């Protein structure tokens, strides 16, 4: 299946989460997303107000992260982060699951953690980062089920801050686990057009990447 560059651009969350990122870099990210028709920018919470202002009037959405990158913040702290981000202009929240609780089989805690963030972000899309490289296939399956039951609109593979990112097998597993009505975001290690296509073909409905310009080969794309 051939996927057009325009179609790929419209599912890219153009991402800048490096700890050394500056306000100037965040502003550039916003310009690139607007010019190339990317779905959103994904920035650290400190840059949400900047992104909101730079993208005012643009169809590009503002996404930020909660409990990032380890996911071990207290649930109340994650909920506050989500509320604060939305107050400052975030449209979408990418939260990191409590991976330790998942590894311990404490799925009640995992679910309550996700539900608290979802409840703190009414009307806003919440994506849950599973950090798939740290989970068994059985844990990935269960995590997907728990996140959907807790009200998440998406499950996401990775933060990009661990051993590995997205792969086709995990995307297929996650898509099968959540069904057709919940999103699957592939992130981590998506750096070229071919990899982006493979992720979409496997079932990804969004791509998180800092390589959006390379993936779309620098073409100027029409606005959605």
């Amino acid at each position: 299946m051939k996927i057009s560059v325009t179609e790929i651009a419209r599912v890219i969350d153009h991402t800048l989460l490096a700890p050394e990122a500056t306000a100037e870099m965040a502003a550039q990210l916003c310009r690139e997303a607007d010019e190339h028709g990317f779905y959103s920018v994904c920035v650290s919470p400190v840059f949400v107000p900047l992104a909101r202002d730079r993208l005012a009037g643009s169809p590009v959405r503002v996404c930020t992260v909660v409990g990032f990158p380890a996911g071990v913040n207290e649930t109340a702290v994650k909920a506050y982060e989500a509320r604060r981000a939305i107050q400052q202009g975030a449209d979408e929240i990418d939260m990191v699951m409590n991976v330790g609780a998942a590894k311990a089989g404490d799925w009640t805690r995992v679910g309550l953690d996700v539900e608290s963030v979802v409840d703190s972000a009414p009307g806003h899309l919440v994506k849950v980062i599973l950090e798939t490289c740290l989970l068994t296939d059985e844990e990935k399956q269960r995590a997907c089920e728990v996140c959907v039951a807790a009200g998440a609109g998406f499950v996401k593979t990775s933060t990009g801050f661990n051993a590995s990112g997205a792969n086709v097998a995990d995307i297929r597993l996650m898509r099968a686990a959540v069904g057709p009505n919940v999103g699957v975001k592939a992130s981590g290690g998506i750096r070229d057009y071919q990899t982006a296509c493979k992720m979409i073909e496997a079932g990804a409905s969004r791509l998180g990447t800092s390589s959006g310009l390379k993936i779309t080969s620098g073409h100027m794309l029409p606005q959605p």
Side-chain angles (χ1 to χ4, degrees), residues 132-213:
T132 48
C133 67
L134 302 179
L135 304 176
T136 66
D137 283 353
E138 292 76 15
E139 289 165 344
K140 295 167 197 172
Q141 169 86 24
R142 184 70 174 128
C144 287
E145 295 167 350
V146 168
C147 290
V148 171
F154 261 76
V155 288
K156 175 180 171 181
T157 57
S158 321
T159 61
F161 282 72
N162 263 293
S164 61
N167 63 63
V168 166
D170 283 344
I171 296 301
R172 287 176 177 154
L173 183 156
M174 293 163 69
R175 172 52 68 202
V178 302
N181 298 322
V182 174
V184 175
K185 179 174 173 179
S187 62
I190 304 169
R191 301 188 181 94
D192 55 55
Y193 171 83
Q194 290 76 16
T195 302
C197 288
K198 288 177 182 177
M199 296 299 168
I200 294 170
E201 289 165 356
S205 41
R206 197 82 67 83
L207 305 176
T209 178
S210 59
S211 300
L213 299 185

Side-chain angles (χ1 to χ4, degrees), residues 58-90:
S58 166
V60 178
R61 301 191 180 198
V62 177
C63 174
T64 194
V65 288
V66 160
F68 195 86
V72 292
N73 310 60
E74 291 184 5
T75 295
V77 174
K78 289 182 178 178
Y80 171 78
E81 282 188 282
R83 286 194 299 272
R84 179 65 174 165
I86 289 166
Q87 289 168 0
Q88 293 191 315

Side-chain angles (χ1 to χ4, degrees), residues 2-75:
K2 183 172 177 58
I3 304 172
S4 74
V5 171
T6 301
E7 290 173 311
I8 291 177
R10 289 176 179 167
V11 298
I12 285 178
D13 289 347
H14 196 35
T15 301
L16 178 66
L17 296 171
E20 70 272 20
T22 65
E24 182 179 351
M25 292 164 67
Q28 177 65 23
L29 187 86
C30 293
R31 287 192 293 272
E32 292 168 353
D34 197 31
E35 290 173 1
H36 291 266
F38 296 142
Y39 186 87
S40 81
V41 294
C42 186
V43 295
S44 298
V46 69
F47 295 129
V48 167
L50 181 154
R52 174 202 63 205
D53 293 345
R54 293 300 178 106
L55 292 168
S58 166
V60 178
R61 301 191 180 198
V62 177
C63 174
T64 194
V65 288
V66 160
F68 195 86
V72 292
N73 310 60
E74 291 184 5
T75 295

